[in-house]
Amino acid sequence: MSADDPRFKTVTFTDGLNLIVADTTEASSDTDSRNSAGKSSMVELIHFLLGARADSRMLLTKKALRDITFCLQMDWPGIEDLRVYRRGNRPGMVRLDPDITGANRGTLFDAEGPAEHSVDQWNHLIDQNLFGLSGDHPGVSGRTLLSFLARRVSAHGFNEATRTFSRQADAEATTNLAYLLGLDWQLADGYRQLAARQATRNQLRKAVNDPVWGRIVGSTADLRGQITLAQAQVDRLRSQITSFQVVPQYERVKEQADAIARRVKQLSQDDVIDKSNLEELQQAVSEASEVDVDYLEPVYQELGIVMNDQVRRRFEDVKIFHHSVVRNRRRFLEEEIKELTERLAARRRERARLGDEQAQLLRTLNEGGALEALTALQQALAREQAALEALRHRYEAAQTLEASSRQITAQRLELQQAVTSDLDERAEQTEEATLLFSGYAQRLYGEGREAYLAIEAARSNLKITPRIHSDDSRGIGNMVIFCFDLTIAVLAHRYGRGPNFLIHDSHLFDGVDDRQLAAALTLARDVARDEGMQYIASLNTDDLEKATRRGFDPGSHIREPRLTDALDTGGLFGFRF
């Protein structure tokens, strides 16, 4: 592990046991501390280079360090030498040398490099290559698994054996532990999913008394009816779109139909006028008759007036003229009537022709439409589908709210029974883990010490409890974590579910008795050698001296650099910040 800042102290690890020691200097006083020497920072840096999420609280993003490029050189499956580069001012990217992404995808070419990739892609490679995780693996992640193999003090990773940080959910932690131990992690993840459902239900129950929330979600009965109507509307629009035909020159056809409608209307109005005129003309014809004048001569005779021939002749002329006028008027009126009748008949024929033409145009418009109309229908369908989907989401939320706790309880009981049956079927795996843990504990505390792993299907999670019978000796809780971590690291490495390293910070050995400390270091050395693994631990010199006095020989296991509490240059980074 190195950096492009020359002040940084390059750290080199080998196979087997690796000890990073923090010394006091001759100038150190009793009040000087080695907490700033960089032992915990070394673990933080390893996590940073192995894809840990970088936020403002992380050490490597601090102002004094963020411009430094750090490098981790490591073995990688199929590659002898992989270098990973990352810096705090670009926390979302890593540089891989060589570029293993091409080789990982199974290309015909060897890996080349270097190449930059996102931290997410780097974590995906870690999932696949270091932990054998392929496909979807909800509930299990390489980052969580790494946190068990390299616990972080900053996350309170040494508080409990089965958690890597203080607020980690039991179901999440035990799902990942189940994977490392070779148990059915997918069944164990069922607890996490049920816990998520329970948490959602609890939140919804808190909101049930909110009137605004009630209007937003509603009841399942109301929503079911609304969904039925919305689905019918969606089906209707979809059917219209399926049968819709785009009419070429739709607007021109529509204008023709409108023009015909206006013409028909005008013809009707003209008919009203002509029919009225026809009635008047017919009335005038009936009134334009010959005038009867035969009564005049008898009247004159009775009066004693004799009409001479000259008078008679003049009367006959007037009579003839009057008859001529009447005939001419009647002839004129009859011609007008004939013209009106012909115009009415012509309009009837034109209306019939226009009616047929308009019907054809309307059929064309009714069978199809313009492209704009089709687009409008499609937009309406999209809106209705979105509204339907929103109703379904509300229905699901209402169902979740109205689901009784008995349903979740019943599913939890079913899951508990399934996990119990699975544990019975995987007795070989649980026995191997228990015997390993027990053997490690007895190496520390003697053959008579009762130690085992209790693995059971509890109500809310797969419960994994490492136990060492305690006589309240100091530091026994830390040694439970030590034996447990050693167990899961060995089993994961043996069966290809994890890498070949385990890292412990010096905080794990705080308060541990001298004899147990010496036994723990000896055990770590032997296990790392026998299993072909790498065990890395940081220690203060006084703790190492205690172990040495108890017979542990650090020998060649101490790695450079030796860190000190010197204010300026003694720490891992080579300067105080």
Side-chain angles (χ1 to χ4, degrees), residues 216-245:
I216 292 174
V217 176
S219 68
T220 54
D222 292 339
L223 289 169
R224 194 178 293 113
Q226 294 174 24
I227 288 173
T228 300
L229 295 178
Q231 183 65 60
Q233 176 70 355
V234 167
D235 293 341
R236 184 181 66 81
L237 288 171
R238 187 180 287 115
S239 176
Q240 289 181 356
I241 291 173
T242 302
S243 60
F244 193 91
Q245 296 180 1

Coordinates of all heavy atoms in Angstrom, one line a residue, residues 216-245:
I216 N -55.2 11.1 0.1 CA -54.3 10.7 -1.0 C -54.3 9.2 -1.2 O -54.2 8.8 -2.4 CB -52.9 11.2 -0.5 CG1 -52.8 12.7 -0.5 CG2 -51.8 10.6 -1.5 CD1 -51.5 13.2 0.0
V217 N -54.4 8.4 -0.2 CA -54.3 7.0 -0.4 C -55.7 6.4 -0.6 O -56.1 5.8 -1.6 CB -53.6 6.3 0.8 CG1 -53.7 4.8 0.6 CG2 -52.2 6.8 0.8
G218 N -56.6 6.6 0.4 CA -58.0 6.1 0.3 C -58.1 4.6 0.8 O -57.1 4.0 1.3
S219 N -59.3 4.1 0.6 CA -59.5 2.7 1.1 C -59.4 1.8 -0.1 O -59.6 2.2 -1.3 CB -60.9 2.6 1.7 OG -61.9 2.8 0.7
T220 N -59.2 0.5 0.2 CA -59.1 -0.5 -0.9 C -60.4 -0.6 -1.7 O -60.4 -0.8 -2.9 CB -58.6 -1.8 -0.4 OG1 -59.5 -2.2 0.7 CG2 -57.2 -1.8 0.2
A221 N -61.5 -0.5 -1.0 CA -62.8 -0.7 -1.6 C -63.0 0.4 -2.6 O -63.4 0.1 -3.8 CB -63.9 -0.7 -0.6
D222 N -62.8 1.7 -2.2 CA -63.0 2.8 -3.2 C -62.0 2.7 -4.3 O -62.4 2.9 -5.5 CB -62.8 4.1 -2.4 CG -63.9 4.4 -1.4 OD1 -65.0 3.8 -1.6 OD2 -63.7 5.2 -0.5
L223 N -60.8 2.4 -4.0 CA -59.8 2.3 -5.1 C -60.0 1.2 -6.0 O -59.7 1.3 -7.2 CB -58.4 2.2 -4.4 CG -57.9 3.4 -3.7 CD1 -56.7 3.1 -2.9 CD2 -57.6 4.6 -4.7
R224 N -60.6 0.1 -5.6 CA -60.9 -1.0 -6.4 C -61.9 -0.6 -7.5 O -61.7 -0.9 -8.7 CB -61.4 -2.2 -5.6 CG -61.4 -3.5 -6.4 CD -61.9 -4.7 -5.6 NE -60.9 -5.0 -4.5 CZ -61.2 -4.8 -3.2 NH1 -62.4 -4.3 -2.8 NH2 -60.3 -5.1 -2.3
G225 N -62.9 0.1 -7.1 CA -63.9 0.6 -8.1 C -63.3 1.6 -9.0 O -63.6 1.6 -10.2
Q226 N -62.5 2.5 -8.5 CA -61.8 3.5 -9.4 C -60.9 2.9 -10.4 O -60.8 3.3 -11.5 CB -61.1 4.5 -8.5 CG -62.0 5.4 -7.6 CD -61.2 6.3 -6.7 OE1 -60.0 6.6 -6.9 NE2 -61.8 6.7 -5.6
I227 N -60.2 1.8 -10.0 CA -59.3 1.1 -10.9 C -60.1 0.5 -12.0 O -59.7 0.5 -13.1 CB -58.5 0.1 -10.1 CG1 -57.4 0.8 -9.2 CG2 -57.8 -0.9 -11.0 CD1 -56.7 -0.1 -8.3
T228 N -61.3 -0.1 -11.6 CA -62.1 -0.8 -12.7 C -62.5 0.2 -13.7 O -62.4 0.0 -14.9 CB -63.3 -1.4 -12.0 OG1 -62.9 -2.4 -11.0 CG2 -64.2 -2.0 -13.0
L229 N -63.0 1.4 -13.3 CA -63.4 2.4 -14.3 C -62.2 3.0 -15.1 O -62.3 3.2 -16.3 CB -64.1 3.6 -13.5 CG -65.4 3.3 -12.8 CD1 -65.9 4.5 -12.0 CD2 -66.4 2.8 -13.7
A230 N -61.1 3.2 -14.4 CA -59.9 3.7 -15.1 C -59.4 2.6 -16.1 O -59.0 3.0 -17.2 CB -58.8 4.0 -14.1
Q231 N -59.5 1.4 -15.8 CA -59.1 0.3 -16.7 C -60.0 0.3 -17.9 O -59.5 0.1 -19.1 CB -59.1 -1.0 -16.0 CG -58.6 -2.2 -16.8 CD -57.1 -2.0 -17.2 OE1 -56.2 -2.0 -16.3 NE2 -56.8 -2.0 -18.5
A232 N -61.3 0.4 -17.7 CA -62.2 0.5 -18.8 C -62.0 1.6 -19.7 O -62.0 1.5 -21.0 CB -63.7 0.5 -18.3
Q233 N -61.6 2.8 -19.2 CA -61.3 3.9 -20.0 C -60.0 3.7 -20.8 O -60.0 4.0 -22.0 CB -61.1 5.2 -19.1 CG -60.7 6.4 -19.9 CD -61.8 7.0 -20.8 OE1 -62.8 6.4 -20.9 NE2 -61.5 8.1 -21.4
V234 N -59.0 3.1 -20.2 CA -57.8 2.8 -20.9 C -58.1 1.8 -22.0 O -57.6 1.9 -23.2 CB -56.8 2.2 -19.9 CG1 -55.6 1.5 -20.7 CG2 -56.2 3.3 -19.0
D235 N -58.9 0.7 -21.8 CA -59.2 -0.2 -22.8 C -60.0 0.4 -24.0 O -59.7 0.1 -25.1 CB -60.1 -1.4 -22.2 CG -59.3 -2.2 -21.2 OD1 -58.0 -2.1 -21.2 OD2 -59.9 -2.9 -20.4
R236 N -60.9 1.3 -23.6 CA -61.7 2.0 -24.7 C -60.7 2.8 -25.6 O -60.8 2.8 -26.8 CB -62.7 2.9 -24.1 CG -63.6 3.6 -25.1 CD -64.6 4.5 -24.4 NE -64.0 5.6 -23.8 CZ -63.6 6.7 -24.4 NH1 -63.8 6.8 -25.7 NH2 -63.0 7.7 -23.8
L237 N -59.8 3.6 -25.0 CA -58.9 4.4 -25.8 C -58.0 3.5 -26.6 O -57.7 3.8 -27.7 CB -58.1 5.3 -24.8 CG -58.9 6.5 -24.2 CD1 -58.1 7.2 -23.2 CD2 -59.3 7.5 -25.3
R238 N -57.5 2.4 -26.0 CA -56.6 1.6 -26.7 C -57.3 0.9 -27.9 O -56.7 0.8 -29.0 CB -56.1 0.5 -25.7 CG -55.0 -0.4 -26.4 CD -54.5 -1.5 -25.4 NE -53.7 -0.9 -24.3 CZ -54.0 -0.9 -23.1 NH1 -55.1 -1.4 -22.6 NH2 -53.2 -0.3 -22.2
S239 N -58.6 0.6 -27.7 CA -59.4 0.0 -28.8 C -59.5 1.0 -30.0 O -59.4 0.7 -31.1 CB -60.7 -0.4 -28.4 OG -61.5 -0.9 -29.4
Q240 N -59.8 2.3 -29.6 CA -59.9 3.3 -30.6 C -58.6 3.5 -31.4 O -58.6 3.7 -32.6 CB -60.3 4.7 -29.9 CG -61.8 4.7 -29.4 CD -62.1 6.0 -28.8 OE1 -61.3 6.9 -28.7 NE2 -63.4 6.1 -28.4
I241 N -57.5 3.5 -30.7 CA -56.2 3.7 -31.3 C -55.9 2.5 -32.3 O -55.4 2.7 -33.4 CB -55.1 3.9 -30.3 CG1 -55.3 5.2 -29.6 CG2 -53.8 3.8 -30.9 CD1 -54.4 5.5 -28.4
T242 N -56.3 1.3 -31.8 CA -56.0 0.1 -32.6 C -56.8 0.2 -33.9 O -56.2 -0.2 -35.0 CB -56.4 -1.1 -31.8 OG1 -55.6 -1.2 -30.6 CG2 -56.1 -2.4 -32.7
S243 N -58.0 0.6 -33.9 CA -58.9 0.7 -35.1 C -58.8 2.0 -35.9 O -59.4 2.2 -36.9 CB -60.3 0.4 -34.7 OG -60.8 1.4 -33.8
F244 N -58.0 2.9 -35.4 CA -57.9 4.2 -36.0 C -57.1 4.2 -37.3 O -56.1 3.5 -37.5 CB -57.2 5.2 -35.0 CG -57.3 6.7 -35.4 CD1 -58.3 7.4 -34.9 CD2 -56.4 7.2 -36.3 CE1 -58.4 8.8 -35.3 CE2 -56.5 8.6 -36.7 CZ -57.5 9.3 -36.2
Q245 N -57.7 4.9 -38.3 CA -57.1 5.0 -39.6 C -56.8 6.4 -39.9 O -57.7 7.3 -39.9 CB -57.9 4.4 -40.7 CG -58.1 2.9 -40.6 CD -59.0 2.3 -41.7 OE1 -59.4 3.0 -42.6 NE2 -59.3 1.0 -41.6

